[in-house]
């Protein structure tokens, strides 16, 4: 008889324990910049919507109520330059991580099929392929693949803005990816949860361009055929504890995803759906939260550079992707000795060796402490 359980790799963050102990021993305390979990309060407009919806005595629908689906459609039109979606083309999910992990399985991928993900990427993409029995391949362009691998591609993940690198893919690059994938009959799924958090040329509040969506007509044309956008409210709305996200796209594939999730009981609770609608309908709190992150980034970035690291890309999102030109764990240890816990680049694939990720999700006080320690060192 075979053993029970899934043969998945150990959760990578568990290996951080010794560095955490070193950082906690700092006389002025720990500053944890390793994980991008929001630290600011969930906005009142969201909390009130949740409270008002707590009489949720009936089962919610897997597809989501019309109010939240309309809010998603309106948000895509207003904030992402994606007009014309119907409420039938969108669905709330239980956070975006569960969808990233289960989408290959829900799309019917299996043995012999290939799922492509970025060379430096969130590890859950690979876990999704493993759960489906498919093969994960790291590539930033389908042009990098040999003919045999290309022929077996059924799902392509793109992450823009990217975690951990902060890379933003422009319209032309996204369009080429969609065109290439469609020529193979493969689905493109774009993980876009940092799209409201662009910096520099992508900072719309400071005259920059809008981060393009995979569903932008300039990218996918007038049809969303074989294309999905995946989005989370965790970052822009301090919604992580609510587990609220959504998927939007291909009108022909969406009914099958909905049906499969019905059978599996993958349903967003009704009060969370109400809170999602409130969050999506209110732009003011998103811009206010972005102001906080911008100020923290403006403080931390020069301090990291003064400490001797080169910050690469990091043009959007909640992280600084940096290298000191040395082994990843050596850099992690040097930061831990200053009481600062950071993320190892090796958690994001072989191409992450030599890099580290610093999150902007510390409190104002913690970011100030980290910057002061780095400058002093």
């Amino acid at each position: 008889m075979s053993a029970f359980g899934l043969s998945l790799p150990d959760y990578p963050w568990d290996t951080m324990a010794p560095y955490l102990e070193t950082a906690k021993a700092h006389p002025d305390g720990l500053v944890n910049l390793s994980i991008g979990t929001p630290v600011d309060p969930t906005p009142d407009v969201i909390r009130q919507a949740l409270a008002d919806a707590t009489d949720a005595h009936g089962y919610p629908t897997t597809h989501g109520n019309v109010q939240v689906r309309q809010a998603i459609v309106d948000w895509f039109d207003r904030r992402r330059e994606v007009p014309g979606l119907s409420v039938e083309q969108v669905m709330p999910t239980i956070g975006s991580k569960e969808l990233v992990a289960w989408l290959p399985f829900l799309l019917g991928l299996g043995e012999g099929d290939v799922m492509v993900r970025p060379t430096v990427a969130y590890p859950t993409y690979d876990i999704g392929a493993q759960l489906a029995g498919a093969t994960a391949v790291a590539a930033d362009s389908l042009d990098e693949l040999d003919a045999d691998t290309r022929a077996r591609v059924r799902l392509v993940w793109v992450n823009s803005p990217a975690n951990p690198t902060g890379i933003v893919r422009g319209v032309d690059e996204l369009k080429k990816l969609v065109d290439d994938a469609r020529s193979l009959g493969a689905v493109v799924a774009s993980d876009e949860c940092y799209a409201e958090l662009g910096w520099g040329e992508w900072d719309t509040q400071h005259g920059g361009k809008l981060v393009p969506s995979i569903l932008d007509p300039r990218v996918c044309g007038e049809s969303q055929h074989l294309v999905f956008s995946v989005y989370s409210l965790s970052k822009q709305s301090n919604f992580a504890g609510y587990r609220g996200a959504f998927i939007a796209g291909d009108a022909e594939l969406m009914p099958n995803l909905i049906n499969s999730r019905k059978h599996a009981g993958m349903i967003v609770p009704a009060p969370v759906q109400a809170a999602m609608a409130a969050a999506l309908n209110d732009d003011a709190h998103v811009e206010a939260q972005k102001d906080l992150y911008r100020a923290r980034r403006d403080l931390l970035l020069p301090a990291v550079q003064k400490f001797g690291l080169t910050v690469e890309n990091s043009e959007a999102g909640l992280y600084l992707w940096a290298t000191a030109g040395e082994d990843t764990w050596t850099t992690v240890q040097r930061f831990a000795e200053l009481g600062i816990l950071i993320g190892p680049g090796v958690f994001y694939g072989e191409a992450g060796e030599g890099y580290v990720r610093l999150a902007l999700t510390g409190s104002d006080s913690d970011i100030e402490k980290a910057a002061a320690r780095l400058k002093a060192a």
Side-chain angles (χ1 to χ4, degrees):
M1 292 180 64
S2 60
F4 291 108
L6 299 175
S7 297
L8 298 177
D10 292 336
Y11 196 61
W13 289 99
D14 294 342
T15 63
M16 292 295 292
Y19 301 96
L20 173 61
E21 292 305 311
T22 296
K24 286 168 64 175
H26 191 276
D28 294 327
L30 167 70
V31 175
N32 191 342
L33 304 182
S34 66
I35 299 178
T37 186
V39 298
D40 300 306
T42 303
D44 289 341
V45 65
I46 297 172
R47 296 163 69 179
Q48 187 60 54
L50 182 79
D52 291 344
T54 51
D55 181 15
H57 47 272
Y59 288 112
T61 61
T62 299
H63 195 183
N65 62 50
V66 174
Q67 289 77 18
V68 71
R69 285 188 279 138
Q70 188 63 56
I72 294 169
V73 167
D74 293 344
W75 177 84
F76 266 109
D77 189 2
R78 188 177 72 253
R79 304 292 290 188
R80 305 303 312 282
E81 295 185 346
V82 178
L85 289 178
S86 88
V87 294
E88 302 305 315
Q89 290 178 263
V90 301
M91 173 174 53
T93 64
I94 313 163
S96 61
K97 185 173 184 177
E98 66 93 349
L99 185 72
V100 170
W102 289 108
L103 186 60
F105 180 82
L106 293 171
L107 288 174
L109 271 67
E111 186 176 354
D113 294 328
V114 168
M115 181 213 75
V116 179
R117 53 86 167 167
T119 53
V120 180
Y122 185 50
T124 306
Y125 303 126
D126 284 351
I127 295 298
Q130 188 170 346
L131 289 171
T135 300
V137 174
D140 293 318
S141 168
L142 297 181
D143 293 340
E144 301 171 25
L145 306 180
D146 61 59
D148 176 67
T149 303
R150 280 178 60 89
R152 295 185 292 120
V153 174
R154 294 196 67 203
L155 173 62
V156 181
W157 277 107
V158 60
N159 181 202
S160 177
N163 171 19
T165 62
I167 292 173
V168 175
R169 308 292 179 184
V171 168
D172 292 343
E173 187 175 0
L174 290 174
K175 183 179 186 304
K176 183 181 186 308
L177 182 64
V178 169
D179 290 345
D180 287 352
R182 281 173 167 170
S183 73
L184 300 174
V187 169
V188 177
S190 181
D191 185 349
E192 303 179 346
C193 69
Y194 299 95
E196 293 268 22
L197 296 168
W199 314 116
E201 69 171 308
W202 302 107
D203 191 344
T204 55
Q205 288 167 253
H206 285 208
K209 298 179 293 185
L210 190 73
V211 172
S213 171
I214 203 79
L215 300 181
D216 188 314
R218 295 173 298 169
V219 173
C220 68
E222 298 304 316
S223 166
Q224 294 82 35
H225 177 57
L226 294 178
V227 178
F228 286 109
S229 169
V230 177
Y231 205 84
S232 169
L233 298 180
S234 294
K235 314 304 181 184
Q236 68 190 50
S237 298
N238 299 326
F239 209 88
Y242 288 58
R243 309 311 303 133
F246 50 88
I247 182 172
D250 190 310
E252 295 182 2
L253 293 178
M254 186 64 76
N256 185 269
L257 293 181
I258 294 166
N259 184 60
S260 297
R261 293 174 68 85
K262 284 180 181 178
H263 283 293
M266 295 177 174
I267 308 172
V268 176
V272 175
Q273 292 187 36
M276 286 179 64
L280 288 163
N281 287 329
D282 180 77
D283 297 336
H285 80 273
V286 177
E287 295 179 1
Q289 185 61 47
K290 183 174 179 179
D291 288 341
L292 292 176
Y293 285 133
R294 186 188 296 104
R296 292 166 185 167
R297 184 178 186 274
D298 288 346
L299 186 62
L300 187 61
L301 175 58
V304 170
Q305 292 170 326
K306 187 171 183 180
F307 191 59
L309 276 68
T310 299
V311 176
E312 297 183 4
N313 302 310
S314 306
E315 54 197 315
L318 292 179
Y319 311 106
L320 300 179
W321 181 244
T323 179
E326 61 191 6
D327 172 75
T328 286
W329 294 106
T330 299
T331 309
V332 171
Q333 177 65 27
R334 290 203 292 126
F335 273 79
E337 289 169 358
L338 296 177
I340 306 169
L341 194 68
I342 59 176
V346 292
F347 284 1
Y348 304 94
E350 293 180 6
E353 168 55 42
Y355 289 85
V356 293
R357 191 193 77 169
L358 292 86
L360 305 177
T361 50
S363 65
D364 288 346
S365 174
D366 278 350
I367 295 293
E368 289 170 3
K369 288 178 183 178
R373 292 176 193 178
L374 291 170
K375 289 177 179 178

